[in-house]
Structure formats: structure tokens, C-alpha cells
Amino acid sequence: MISASSMDESEPYSSEDEDVSLTGSDFEFQLTTSKRKLNSTQGAASPKRVRHPSVSGSSQSQTPEESRGLGPHGAQTEGRATACHLYEAVRSGRSALLTVIDDWLEEYRRDREAGILELINFVVQCSGCKGVVTREMFSRLQNADIISHLTTEFNEDSVSYPLVSGGSQWRHFREGVCEFVSLLVRGCRNSLLYDDFLFSSFIALLTGLADSQVRAFRHTSTLITMRLMSSIVSVAAEVTAQALMTRRRCELEKNKPAEHRAIDRIEELEGSYRELLEHQEDLRSLMNGIFKGVFIHRYRDRVPEIRAVCMEEMGVWLRENPASFLNDEHLKYVGWMLHDKQAAVRLQCVLTLQKLYVEKDFISRLELFTSRFKERILCMILDKDSDVAVETVKLLLLIKQQTDEGLSEEECAAVYPLVFATHRGLACAAGRFLYHTLCSVLDGRSDKRSVSVLRLLAHFFIESEYHEHAAYLVDSLWDVAGVELKDWELMTSLLLQESGVEDELESALIDIMMCAVRQASEATPPSSRVQRKNLTAREKRLQAQERRRITNHFIPQLPQLLAKFSADVGKVSCLLRAPLYFQLEVYGTSGRLEKCLDLLLSQVCDIMLKHREESVLEACVRVLCALCSDCYSFCGRAERAVSQLLDSTVEKFSSNLAEILQGSADEDDLYGAASSLNILAVFSSARDLTGRNLFEFCFQLLKMGIETREIHEKLMVPALKCSVFHLFWKGTKITQHSPARDKAELKRVMKALHSFCVVCQSCLSVAQSRIRNQAFVCLCDVLLVFGKLCEGDGSPLQRFSPDDSLKAEMASFIIDYVFSEPDEDLPGEEECEEMKMAALLQRRNQLAGYCKLIIHGVLELRAATDVLRYYNKFYRDFGDIIKETLSKSKMISSVESARTVCLCLQQLFSGLEQDRCDEELTEIRLLAKKLAMNFSINLRLIRKPLLALHQDGICFASQGLDEGDLMNLSFLEILSEFSFKLLQPERKQLSLSLRRVFASVINSEFVRIYERSLTSGSKETPAAAAETPSRKRRRTHSLTSSLETPAVTSHTRRVDMDDDFTDGSVLRKSVIHSRPQSSPFSQSIQSHLSTLSLGHEDASEDEEEPEIEDYDDEDSELGITLPSTHGSASFLEDLFE
């Protein structure tokens, strides 16, 4: 019997042509009539072999066991010993295989049957089989019987075999086997390859093993047969070349004059030519037998490794013998397997094609293949497997370079966007494709080449849709266009020349130049692309050299660039990033460079005074703070410049503020005060300006604006920022000293904080949205730092307790301005979409700030009811944030979190009108169902929270029952949505409580609905849920959560807790009901997030090809991820950190 472990049950045996008989077909080796024919009476699935007479010719009597091939133990031991010599030599890798093969050839010439037995047993051992083919078996049994016997001897302890075994011992085993077969054919190419016994018998047995149902036999024999075929193809190419050479020499000899003609030489050449033709015919017969008997079946085997082997060796045949194989008859197999479900097979096909297209002589033979399969190849640039996509882009580059027609502009345009992909290998391959495409339109003049390349890159960047991703474009082109991208002299000269370039081209060139400066200075790709953690010593040395070169070039050039582009917001913001990548200590090495420092400081200060845009001011402050660092010898010079700027700004603001407070300010005074206050607000975020007492000025301005209702938005917003940063710097100073020493200071800070919160609370109701939004953000920040915790002791700063009116005002802000439909009346379609996305991002930040107050204990958990009630309605916009808030709230108290869920539903139910319609109740039920799905799949861990939720719900539903008021009774229908996760003890307890509380209305429809939910689908034991295997839990999670939500804070998620909720883990029974609801929401939020960050965009597709069946597989295509504009790994972490 065949052992279960030896059979490949998980990957069923596949042979599509079992009805083809071997006899009389191409499967039979068509040798010359003088050679022995293979007698085969069975089909290709189980080839038989003739009984070979014994070499010794002895007529000794044999036992029945010996006649069946199961001879004495000594015979098997002898067979194994002879085979072990070859097997151990290949496995160990320490022996010279050429010497091993020479020794085997000598033994074969002495005893050919013993030699082939050793070769056959070598194959058996390579398959991991314990069996041995003895002389008796070889001489008396058919091949099918031999294979059947070996199958019974297969190792039953493990389904592993040498070719798929791991570890260092088997790492090079496959290469050793392939090398052995190649050297064997090379050693036999002059005589034994044309023998009527060795290779015909060996190939016949390999063909039978390749058709076996045992995966180990099938895989090993296919590998050996395919490599055998490759070696034979190589020999056939040599024989063909020798035949052509011999024929040519013979014709030359015949064309000589009669007196110089050598008859003996002609006869010798003609004899050699006839012999070579016979060899060609023999080799053709062997190749035809292997191709039709093994390749045709195994190239579509169930095992992907076997299919990959067939494609790999097919590539060798096509290259080694193009005259016989490089035609459409054989190329079609490679084209078909481009649709394979497994990435390894598709990758091997692409690599095979690369080696064909690189040869110019092969292009004419590939024209029809190119036209037929080019569309499929273009689709594979979006393959799910990144390696396949990378190699496909390289293949397309070869097609474009080598073929006459190449690729059309539309086909090339499909490759270009991949330079912005997050996978660096794919992006670099696309960058090489883009670079060569751009260079193909340039002339050969080297002096203009760099200029033209930079202009073309800038034009491409302008025409692309990813204008915020210049860093990704530069990184993609870094390896191939590094010379042009690091030509700082050329780029600055283009920007500084009098005639100049187009404005849009200047912006693109500056952006590319600054990204190239960052890449050269840091020697790392953009953050979202995979990179090595540590640089090598050589890379660090090159990085330091490049940074020194950047510093020496840009120190004198940067002030000129800033002076020319100081009026342009985008250009100057980009240029101000350059000093952050300098070796700033160079400024203090000479007087000439100190003059450059003074010029830079002067330019930066002038730019701050000219602009009010926050991006420009922040860039200036970063540069000034870097120059003021204490580690540089010139920091005093920079500090003086900054102090002068601040002094003049504060003085100007004070004078303008005095006019404003007196009511005599004109437009110039308001503009001057707003400009000064913007500068001070940005500086306050980076430097401690508490000594200048800006809080008093800003508070007076805010108070006057609230009291007089003459609110100037451009003054109020920076005043709020200055005030909140003043409080933060004061708090930082207090934490650096002992609390007892700074009690008076802390008291003053708390007083100022209270006054500031009162002002911000008043700003929440103003009409101007910018003031309203900034006030809410400031409140969330100061309460997070200074707010007193509801439970436990916080830091010494957390002393401020927000009153109920402030909490109510903040909750009203969330309801009115966060959970509200966006304004549809916005001009322009593109502008409308951009404004909607910006507004959504702002609302998400506001909601995240409010949720942080709940998570960190500043607001009680019950405040989450104002958020949870919109979980279903605004799921696509805020579902991930609300779900994460739920997940974190259970870490505070799982019971209180469950009661908060119930309270949320109670508030919604109580808010319904007297004549409640079914639609309103249905919406609440849908919300309850979605909230129920957030409870853990481990039912034992959520017993207490669920019981508390049901008890609160029953208590609410019974209110007014004594007075005959049944208004709340229908709440039981909503509560029934949480019953499916109750265990049997809780179900019984709640049933008794239900009958006791609702005894007077026990026959009510809603009571019966709730009671039915407690009795239906009950779980007798929690073991099934509690012990769900991790693989199934992961599968269940993937069904219900298409968007993975990261942690709200940086705390590590605890997996198993006594009071555990999990987001997305549900009972198997409930998965079916939740799928229709969760899927569209998940897709919607995915689309919104991808629009926000240009990230995580899956471009998968399903094709239908008539030649290939079962093509619609999840691994057949891939999704390309575009980079995110955010620095952190996820958008949610940006919100909550």
C-alpha cells in the first residue's frame, strides 16, 4: 500500500494526457533500426520496460522473493552501497564531481548493468526514498512495477525530501544534482550518449518517475530530466555546428582541382558527416522523447516548483539551440505560463524572456511572441509579487531597446508612475526605464546632455500627478542618473542665469535639487521605502564626502538663490531646507565663510519679515534654530541676529497693539500686528519666549475681541497659538524644578490657564471657522497636558479640572462641526475635492484630539457617548478612530466601556419622538449591531462587560413600567443585538431577571424578541470560542476588518486581558451577517485614506485568457503602493501621537 505521508494529497497529481499511448507515438524513442527499441505497452502514465537478461548469464535457481525483485538483504545492501557513492558525493559537495563521474564511467564500461543500477539508485536516493533497485528487479520487472515497489518503500515519517529540505546541509544539493547531470552528459557526449542501453533505459525510468503520484519522485525526476535535456540540447548544438563545419570542409575539398584533390580525405569527411547526422538523429530522438514524455505533462504540474523548473530549463533550450527551439511552437509555453497563479513560476518566465531579448539575433524570431503577449507583460508591472514586477519592468526596457517597434507612448506611460512606488526595487527599475526613455530623445552631444536630462526630468515631474513626491522620483533615479542629480553647479547655474527658465520649471528644478541634496547628505531613501538600518563604512565615508561637497558649494550660492526667489513662497520654502543638510561647523573655519553666514542670516530674517505664510516662517525658524545651536562656535553671531529680529518684532507688535486696544488702529496697524504675531507664534513653538511676556499681550487681544465682538481672524489665530505655547513653556520650566519650589509659579500658571480656557470656550461659538477650530485644538492640547485625571494621580502639572460647561461646549463642538456633512457649494471640481479632503483631515484631527482626552482620563468614559452615536453614520470618515477609541477604552475599564456603549444607545433611543418610526429604530439597531462586533471573540473574557451592558439595558427598558409607561419597552429589541455573545450561565441569569422584571408584560412582542435572542444560538461551553486556533482567528479577522487600525497611542497592545474587547474579532456565526455591512464601509474608508495620503493604493486586475484556465487567482496580480506624504508609518499614528 502507498503510505499516506508519501502521497502528495494536498497537491493532487495532474496528468492531462493519460489517454495517449506511448507505443507508436512521439513518446517512443525513434532510434536507428540497429538499436534496441523500447517496448512499451502501457500509456505514458506508467511506462514499462523490457526484462533485461542477467549480465552474468548464470542459471542459478532463485527463491520466489528473489524472482520478484525482493532478494536477499545482501543484494539490497550492495545496491545501496553502490548508489551511496554518487549520492554522498553530490550531497556533501566536498568531492570533485568530474572525478566521481570518471570513476563511474569506468565501472559502467566494466559492467553496464551495475553502472546503470547505481545511476538509478542515485535518483531514488535523491528523492528521499528508502528503497533500492536490485539486479533482479531491473532485469525482470517492468518500469511501472519497479516504481510501484519503490513507492511502498517511501519514507513514511516525513513528507519532506532532499530538494525541499532546509538547512545548510541541503542548501546546495539542487545545484549539485544539476551539475552532476550536466557533467555526466558531457562525459558521455562522444560515445555513451548514443549507446542503445544507457540513456534510453535511464530516460524511460525517469519518465515513469516523473509521472508518479508521489511528489518527491515527480519533482526530483523532473529536475533531473529537464537538466538532462538541457545538457543534451547543448551537445546537439555542438554536433550541429560540427556537422556544418564538416560539410563545408568536404565541399571545399571537392571543389579543389583534380590534381590537388585528396580522395581519402573526402571519404573520411563524408564518413564523419554521415556519423554526425546519425548522432543528430539520435539526439533529436532523445530530446523529442523527453519533451513529449516529461515536459508536456510537467510544465502544468500541480507543484509550482516543478513548473518553475520546466520554465527555467526551457529558457536554456531556447538559448542553446535556437534553430530547433526558438520558434512559436515552443515559445507559447513560456507565454502561457506568464498567467501562472504562483509568483515563482511567473518570475522564472520573465527571467527566461529577459535572456532571450538581450540577444539581438533572437529578436526577429520573437516578433510574433511579442505582439501576442506584450499586453500580458504590461499587466505584470502591477504584479502582486514585487520581484515579478521589478523583473517585468526590466524586460519591458529590453523590449523597448531591442525591438524596432518597441513600446508605444501609451505603453511607456503605464510604467512611468511606478517611479513613485514605495517598493524601492520596483521604483528604481521604473526609474531606469524612465531615464533611458528620456535619453533616447537626446542627441549625442555630451555638453548639452546633462542640461537636457534635467529639463526633461523637471517636465516629467510637472506633468505627473504626484507633485509632493519629488523625493521618491529622485530616489528612483539615484542609481542611474546620479551624475546629473548631483551636478549642483549645473543646477544652480540654471537657476541663477539672467535669462532664467520658465517659472513652473524653476519650481520643479528647485524641488528636485533639494531632494537630491537630502538624498546625498543622508544616504537614505525616503522614509516609507525599505532601507538598511546601518550604513557600511564605505557608504559613511562617501556620505561625508558628498555632504562636504554640498556644503562647500551651497554656502556661497544659497544667499544668492534666496535673494532671487525670496518673493516666491514655494521656492523659498524649498530652498530653506538646504542648510539643514550642511556641515554647519564649516561656517566658523574662515572669515570668508562667516561673511556668507551673515548673508544667510540677513536673508532669512528679511524673508521672515516679508512673508506671513506659515510654511515659510516655519522653514526660517528651523534654519535659525539650527544655526543657534550651542555646538557651533558661531552660535553667538546667530543668536544676536535672532535676538535683534525678535526685539524689533515685539516692539512693532507692542506699538500696533496699543493702537488696537485704544480703538484707533487702521488697516496698516492691523496688518503689522498680524505679521508680527505670526512670527512670534512660530518662534514660540521652537524657542522659549516666556521672558518677553507675550501671554499678557495676547490675552488682552483675545479678551478684547471676545468682548467687543470685533474679531479679526488674522490676529486671533496667532494670538491663540502664542498663548498656548507660553503655557507649555511655563509648564516645562516647572517640571524641571521641584514642585515645592515653584508652587507660586504653578498657581500663576493655573490662573492663566483658567483665563485662557474661558477665552477659548467663548471662541468655540464664534462664526469664523479658523478661530473656532484653533480654539478647539488649543483646548484639547492644554487639557491633555494640564487636565486633572478623573481617576488616579497624574503629573504635577495636571491640576486643572474642566468644568461641566466647558465639557458640554466641547461636546457640542464635536457634534456640530465634526460630525456634520461637508459644504457642497464649493467652486470648481478639483478645488472642491481638495478642500473637502483638507476639511476632512482637519475634522479627523479634531476628533482624535477629543478622543485622546477620553483615553488619557481627562474626560470620563461617558463622554465617549457623543462619539459612539455616530459610529455607523460616519464610519467611512471616522470609523477607524472611533474603533480605536473603543479598543483603548476597554483598557481603562471594560465594564464601564460596555456601559458607555449601552448609555449611548439609551441616549439615542430617548431622543426619538413619541411616534417612533421604524427607520429610526432600524438605524439604532444597525449601530448596536456594529458596536456588538467590537467585543472580543473570546467569550469568557467579556462575560462581565456584556452582563453589565444587558443589566443596564433591562433596567432602562423597565423604567416607567410600574406607572404603565411602556415607551422604553422596545429598547429590548435593540439590546437583543448583543445577546449572541452571551454564554449559557449569563443567558439563564438574564432570562430569570427578564421574567421577574417584566412579569406583567411577559407576552409583549419586544419581551419575546429579547427572550428569543437569549435562547437561540446558545453556547453550552466557551471552549469553542476561547480555544479558537490562531489561524482561524486571523482568517475571521481578515473577513471583518479590511482596514488595519494602528494604536491610538504608543503603548503596546495587550493581547489577552480579563476585560478584553478586540476590534474586528467576531464569532464565526456572526461573520456571515456582518460582511454585507462592513465591506462597503471598509472600501469607502480605504478610498478616503488613499486620497488623503496617496498611499496604499492597490491596483490589482483580473484578466481572462482563453488558453489558461483557473486564472483568476489572488496571486496573479499585485498592488502598487504609492508613498505617503506623512512621515509616520500610519495616518492614525500621526493623529494620536
Side-chain angles (χ1 to χ4, degrees):
M1 296 296 293
I2 300 174
S3 64
S5 61
S6 65
M7 295 295 294
D8 188 11
E9 296 178 356
S10 61
E11 295 170 335
Y13 159 71
S14 172
S15 180
E16 292 80 356
D17 297 318
E18 292 183 355
D19 56 339
V20 180
S21 175
L22 191 65
T23 306
S25 68
D26 290 333
F27 291 83
E28 184 178 2
F29 301 112
Q30 304 295 329
L31 302 179
T32 57
T33 55
S34 62
K35 298 182 179 179
R36 178 180 57 84
K37 300 285 185 179
L38 288 176
N39 298 324
S40 301
T41 58
Q42 278 193 329
S46 57
K48 297 183 180 179
R49 49 172 288 112
V50 296
R51 293 185 177 88
H52 300 282
S54 175
V55 176
S56 61
S58 63
S59 58
Q60 296 177 359
S61 62
Q62 295 179 339
T63 65
E65 288 79 5
E66 290 172 329
S67 66
R68 290 196 303 268
L70 306 175
H73 180 71
Q76 293 196 11
T77 305
E78 179 185 357
R80 179 176 293 276
T82 56
C84 282
H85 173 61
L86 297 179
Y87 178 73
E88 289 298 327
V90 172
R91 186 181 66 84
S92 63
R94 293 188 292 268
S95 304
L97 290 181
L98 193 58
T99 304
V100 172
I101 290 174
D102 290 340
D103 294 342
W104 178 84
L105 288 174
E106 291 180 6
E107 181 181 350
Y108 177 80
R109 291 186 179 96
R110 290 194 301 269
D111 185 350
R112 69 175 191 174
E113 188 166 343
I116 196 171
L117 278 176
E118 185 176 359
L119 196 60
I120 291 172
N121 285 316
F122 164 73
V123 176
V124 173
Q125 283 193 288
C126 288
S127 302
C129 180
K130 295 180 179 179
V132 177
V133 180
T134 63
R135 284 179 180 268
E136 291 77 11
M137 293 170 59
F138 184 72
S139 61
R140 296 181 178 275
L141 297 182
Q142 300 291 337
N143 281 342
D145 299 329
I146 293 175
I147 295 171
S148 177
H149 172 71
L150 292 175
T151 301
T152 62
E153 295 291 329
F154 205 85
N155 181 15
E156 298 185 5
D157 298 333
S158 173
V159 295
S160 180
Y161 51 96
L163 283 183
V164 297
S165 298
S168 58
Q169 181 181 5
W170 306 103
R171 187 175 303 159
H172 304 291
F173 180 75
R174 184 181 187 275
E175 290 77 8
V177 171
C178 294
E179 183 184 0
F180 173 83
V181 175
S182 300
L183 292 176
L184 175 65
V185 175
R186 298 295 295 176
C188 301
R189 69 183 183 276
N190 293 325
S191 58
L192 294 180
L193 189 57
Y194 316 103
D195 180 56
D196 63 347
F197 176 75
L198 175 59
F199 281 94
S200 58
S201 301
F202 188 44
I203 292 173
L205 183 66
L206 287 174
T207 302
L209 288 172
D211 217 29
S212 170
Q213 295 185 2
V214 180
R215 174 177 175 173
F217 282 150
R218 213 163 64 247
H219 188 183
T220 306
S221 59
T222 301
L223 173 65
I224 294 175
T225 308
M226 292 296 99
R227 182 49 61 98
L228 191 67
M229 174 76 164
S230 299
S231 303
I232 293 174
V233 168
S234 179
V235 173
E238 294 178 4
V239 171
T240 301
Q242 292 175 4
L244 291 175
M245 180 63 69
T246 303
R247 180 182 177 183
R248 191 178 299 111
R249 291 169 63 187
C250 183
E251 290 176 352
L252 288 175
E253 193 67 32
K254 287 181 179 180
N255 292 333
K256 290 181 179 180
E259 60 273 11
H260 298 108
R261 190 181 302 159
I263 303 300
D264 296 340
R265 177 63 175 164
I266 293 175
E267 292 177 354
E268 180 183 355
L269 290 173
E270 288 178 345
S272 299
Y273 181 66
R274 286 192 298 271
E275 183 180 1
L276 289 171
L277 289 180
E278 291 180 0
H279 288 174
Q280 276 185 314
E281 185 63 28
D282 294 342
L283 294 174
R284 190 177 297 113
S285 176
L286 290 175
M287 291 187 296
N288 186 56
I290 294 175
F291 186 82
K292 297 292 183 66
V294 178
F295 177 84
I296 289 297
H297 297 281
R298 301 281 70 81
Y299 88 94
R300 46 187 172 178
D301 194 277
R302 294 279 186 182
V303 182
E305 291 84 354
I306 296 178
R307 302 199 299 272
V309 166
C310 292
M311 291 299 104
E312 180 182 3
E313 299 304 325
M314 170 63 83
V316 177
W317 310 341
L318 296 172
R319 296 192 308 274
E320 292 290 333
N321 197 348
S324 301
F325 289 94
L326 192 56
N327 50 55
D328 299 327
E329 184 67 25
H330 295 88
L331 283 170
K332 66 183 180 182
Y333 298 107
V334 181
W336 288 344
M337 299 312 289
L338 289 174
H339 298 266
D340 196 90
K341 297 180 180 181
Q342 295 297 321
V345 183
R346 299 196 301 272
L347 177 62
Q348 195 57 61
C349 293
V350 174
L351 294 175
T352 295
L353 292 174
Q354 284 181 6
K355 296 173 183 177
L356 295 178
Y357 278 98
V358 77
E359 298 291 339
K360 194 70 176 177
D361 298 336
F362 294 167
I363 299 302
S364 60
R365 297 172 179 262
L366 293 167
E367 288 181 356
L368 184 59
F369 176 87
T370 304
S371 62
R372 168 63 184 85
F373 291 101
K374 183 167 66 173
E375 183 179 354
R376 170 59 188 159
I377 294 172
L378 284 168
C379 292
M380 292 176 67
I381 64 176
L382 300 179
D383 199 280
K384 283 184 178 179
D385 187 89
S386 300
D387 295 334
V388 177
V390 170
E391 298 303 328
T392 302
V393 173
K394 294 179 181 178
L395 173 61
L396 288 173
L397 178 59
L398 287 173
I399 293 175
K400 180 176 177 57
Q401 291 176 334
Q402 298 287 75
T403 59
D404 295 333
E405 296 181 357
L407 301 176
S408 65
E409 187 59 35
E410 292 181 358
E411 292 167 342
C412 292
V415 182
Y416 297 153
L418 298 180
V419 297
F420 300 102
T422 53
H423 188 276
R424 191 170 190 272
L426 177 59
C428 290
R432 188 175 297 274
F433 183 93
L434 172 64
Y435 179 77
H436 285 289
T437 303
L438 296 179
C439 291
S440 63
V441 302
L442 302 178
D443 54 16
R445 297 173 56 186
S446 59
D447 55 339
K448 299 290 185 179
R449 179 183 176 85
S450 296
V451 177
S452 301
V453 169
L454 288 174
R455 284 180 174 271
L456 288 173
L457 284 179
H459 278 296
F460 168 77
F461 182 59
I462 292 170
E463 294 173 1
S464 68
E465 300 177 358
Y466 311 109
H467 296 158
E468 297 180 357
H469 298 290
Y472 294 88
L473 175 63
V474 169
D475 182 54
S476 302
L477 295 163
W478 195 250
D479 296 334
V480 65
V483 176
E484 290 86 354
L485 291 174
K486 291 186 285 189
D487 195 344
W488 319 122
E489 293 81 3
L490 177 60
M491 285 190 273
T492 51
S493 64
L494 285 174
L495 294 171
L496 291 173
Q497 63 185 2
E498 292 297 329
S499 58
V501 293
E502 299 87 349
D503 181 70
E504 197 174 15
L505 199 64
E506 277 182 345
S507 300
L509 189 59
I510 290 174
D511 205 355
I512 291 173
M513 181 177 70
M514 287 298 102
C515 292
V517 167
R518 187 211 65 81
Q519 182 95 358
S521 176
E522 297 181 351
T524 55
S527 57
S528 63
R529 284 187 176 167
V530 180
Q531 59 183 4
R532 296 194 307 273
K533 292 184 178 180
N534 298 319
L535 299 176
T536 63
R538 180 177 178 275
E539 289 173 336
K540 290 180 179 179
R541 185 171 63 255
L542 293 176
Q543 176 193 4
Q545 293 175 358
E546 197 59 49
R547 193 166 188 176
R548 193 178 309 114
R549 180 169 164 260
I550 289 171
T551 304
N552 294 333
H553 171 76
F554 278 99
I555 280 180
Q557 298 291 335
L558 185 59
Q560 301 178 43
L561 292 170
L562 292 175
K564 181 176 180 180
F565 301 110
S566 61
D568 192 295
V569 175
K571 295 173 184 176
V572 77
S573 300
C574 197
L575 287 170
L576 285 170
R577 301 205 306 261
L580 304 179
Y581 306 113
F582 291 174
Q583 291 179 338
L584 293 176
E585 62 273 9
V586 174
Y587 276 116
T589 57
S590 66
R592 182 180 67 86
L593 295 180
E594 288 184 352
K595 292 180 181 178
C596 294
L597 174 63
D598 292 336
L599 286 173
L600 177 62
L601 291 171
S602 175
Q603 287 291 340
V604 174
C605 293
D606 290 343
I607 290 170
M608 290 200 74
L609 295 175
K610 287 181 182 178
H611 290 275
R612 294 177 56 185
E613 288 77 10
E614 192 171 352
S615 59
V616 178
L617 297 179
E618 288 178 354
C620 292
V621 169
R622 287 193 191 98
V623 173
L624 293 175
C625 290
L627 294 173
C628 292
S629 178
D630 295 337
C631 61
Y632 302 124
S633 59
F634 56 83
C635 64
R637 188 187 298 264
E639 282 287 355
R640 284 194 297 272
V642 173
S643 298
Q644 292 173 4
L645 174 64
L646 289 174
D647 290 341
S648 62
T649 304
V650 172
E651 182 179 356
K652 182 179 178 182
F653 172 66
S654 301
S655 61
N656 292 328
L657 180 62
E659 298 291 334
I660 293 172
L661 295 177
Q662 293 174 6
S664 59
D666 55 10
E667 291 295 329
D668 292 337
D669 293 329
L670 292 175
Y671 180 84
S675 300
S676 302
L677 202 52
N678 278 323
I679 296 175
L680 295 174
V682 175
F683 262 113
S684 297
S685 65
R687 293 171 65 92
D688 182 7
L689 301 183
T690 54
R692 299 180 182 273
N693 200 22
L694 295 176
F695 183 82
E696 295 297 332
F697 297 142
C698 293
F699 185 74
Q700 292 178 19
L701 184 62
L702 293 170
K703 187 177 179 182
M704 187 199 73
I706 295 297
E707 291 176 350
T708 62
R709 289 296 174 180
E710 295 179 359
I711 300 175
H712 299 282
E713 182 179 293
K714 296 178 181 179
L715 283 173
M716 296 285 284
V717 173
L720 288 169
K721 292 180 180 179
C722 276
S723 301
V724 75
F725 283 122
H726 175 89
L727 295 173
F728 288 156
W729 283 112
K730 283 289 187 180
T732 303
K733 285 184 176 181
I734 292 173
T735 55
Q736 293 173 353
H737 302 89
S738 62
R741 178 180 173 184
D742 291 322
K743 281 185 178 181
E745 183 66 24
L746 180 59
K747 188 175 181 180
R748 286 192 294 270
V749 170
M750 289 297 116
K751 183 179 179 181
L753 175 62
H754 181 268
S755 302
F756 178 71
C757 288
V758 171
V759 171
C760 288
Q761 182 178 348
S762 302
C763 291
L764 292 180
S765 57
V766 300
Q768 291 90 336
S769 60
R770 284 194 62 202
I771 299 176
R772 196 170 57 229
N773 294 331
Q774 186 62 49
F776 184 81
V777 171
C778 290
L779 278 174
C780 290
D781 290 341
V782 295
L783 290 179
L784 194 63
V785 176
F786 297 100
K788 185 177 181 180
L789 302 183
C790 297
E791 296 181 5
D793 297 329
S795 66
L797 293 177
Q798 292 180 305
R799 303 290 183 86
F800 179 74
S801 297
D803 55 19
D804 293 339
S805 63
L806 178 58
K807 295 177 183 178
E809 197 73 37
M810 295 182 70
S812 299
F813 180 91
I814 289 291
I815 295 171
D816 295 338
Y817 300 110
V818 175
F819 294 112
S820 60
E821 296 296 337
D823 188 7
E824 300 291 343
D825 301 329
L826 294 175
E829 186 173 347
E830 269 188 35
E831 296 179 4
C832 177
E833 286 299 322
E834 291 180 3
M835 294 176 68
K836 282 182 180 179
M837 289 300 104
L840 177 61
L841 179 60
Q842 185 180 59
R843 289 158 59 207
R844 286 174 62 85
N845 281 315
Q846 291 167 352
L847 179 61
Y850 187 77
C851 291
K852 280 194 293 186
L853 297 178
I854 300 172
I855 291 169
H856 291 283
V858 179
L859 299 179
E860 59 273 6
L861 278 181
R862 292 177 177 268
T865 56
D866 296 319
V867 176
L868 296 180
R869 62 171 58 190
Y870 298 102
Y871 183 41
N872 193 31
K873 185 178 180 180
F874 289 89
Y875 185 82
R876 67 176 187 176
D877 294 337
F878 310 112
D880 53 340
I881 300 176
I882 300 175
K883 183 185 291 186
E884 196 67 17
T885 303
L886 265 177
S887 177
K888 294 298 178 182
S889 66
K890 56 91 165 97
M891 295 184 180
I892 302 173
S893 173
S894 62
V895 174
E896 287 301 318
S897 179
R899 284 178 169 168
T900 301
V901 170
C902 186
L903 179 62
C904 169
L905 299 174
Q906 293 172 17
Q907 291 176 352
L908 286 174
F909 184 85
S910 300
L912 299 179
E913 300 294 336
Q914 294 290 335
D915 49 345
R916 296 161 182 163
C917 61
D918 293 338
E919 292 182 1
E920 294 175 335
L921 285 174
T922 302
E923 288 182 4
I924 301 178
R925 284 196 62 182
L926 289 176
L927 174 61
K929 184 179 294 185
K930 190 172 285 291
L931 290 172
M933 301 307 292
N934 285 279
F935 285 84
S936 173
I937 192 175
N938 194 330
L939 304 187
R940 290 186 298 181
L941 297 181
I942 58 173
R943 296 176 69 174
K944 292 181 179 179
L946 271 180
L947 182 61
L949 183 147
H950 279 270
Q951 288 173 343
D952 285 0
I954 291 173
C955 182
F956 174 76
S958 64
Q959 289 178 4
L961 197 60
D962 297 337
E963 291 80 13
D965 186 4
L966 304 180
M967 292 297 296
N968 292 348
L969 198 60
S970 58
F971 185 78
L972 291 174
E973 185 179 2
I974 299 172
L975 191 62
S976 64
E977 297 294 341
F978 297 89
S979 300
F980 72 99
K981 289 196 174 183
L982 287 169
L983 294 179
Q984 190 64 23
E986 284 73 28
R987 290 173 184 266
K988 293 180 180 179
Q989 181 180 348
L990 290 172
S991 295
L992 294 175
S993 177
L994 181 71
R995 292 180 176 275
R996 185 180 66 254
V997 175
F998 298 98
S1000 59
V1001 289
I1002 195 64
N1003 293 323
S1004 171
E1005 176 187 359
F1006 302 109
V1007 176
R1008 289 202 305 270
I1009 290 174
Y1010 182 63
E1011 187 176 17
R1012 194 181 308 121
S1013 70
L1014 295 177
T1015 56
S1016 62
S1018 59
K1019 305 293 182 182
E1020 295 297 335
T1021 174
E1027 299 176 4
T1028 303
S1030 58
R1031 286 183 60 185
K1032 294 187 178 181
R1033 284 201 298 269
R1034 288 196 298 270
R1035 191 180 308 154
T1036 307
H1037 174 80
S1038 66
L1039 287 173
T1040 59
S1041 177
S1042 63
L1043 175 66
E1044 181 179 354
T1045 306
V1048 174
T1049 64
S1050 59
H1051 301 297
T1052 304
R1053 182 186 294 272
R1054 287 156 55 189
V1055 178
D1056 289 323
M1057 300 178 61
D1058 291 338
D1059 47 358
D1060 195 17
F1061 288 1
T1062 58
D1063 43 17
S1065 297
V1066 295
L1067 285 174
R1068 184 180 301 277
K1069 178 181 176 182
S1070 63
V1071 168
I1072 302 174
H1073 302 290
S1074 66
R1075 290 172 72 177
Q1077 298 174 15
S1078 61
S1079 179
F1081 289 127
S1082 302
Q1083 294 173 0
S1084 177
I1085 190 123
Q1086 286 280 23
S1087 64
H1088 272 262
L1089 288 181
S1090 63
T1091 310
L1092 280 172
S1093 62
L1094 288 179
H1096 314 293
E1097 193 174 297
D1098 291 336
S1100 62
E1101 57 178 327
D1102 292 327
E1103 293 189 3
E1104 293 184 1
E1105 291 290 339
E1107 296 85 358
I1108 301 298
E1109 297 180 358
D1110 298 328
Y1111 170 62
D1112 49 342
D1113 185 76
E1114 60 182 4
D1115 294 331
S1116 60
E1117 304 295 336
L1118 56 104
I1120 297 304
T1121 307
L1122 293 179
S1124 172
T1125 55
H1126 302 289
S1128 63
S1130 78
F1131 184 69
L1132 267 183
E1133 288 178 355
D1134 287 343
L1135 292 177
F1136 282 97
E1137 285 300 331

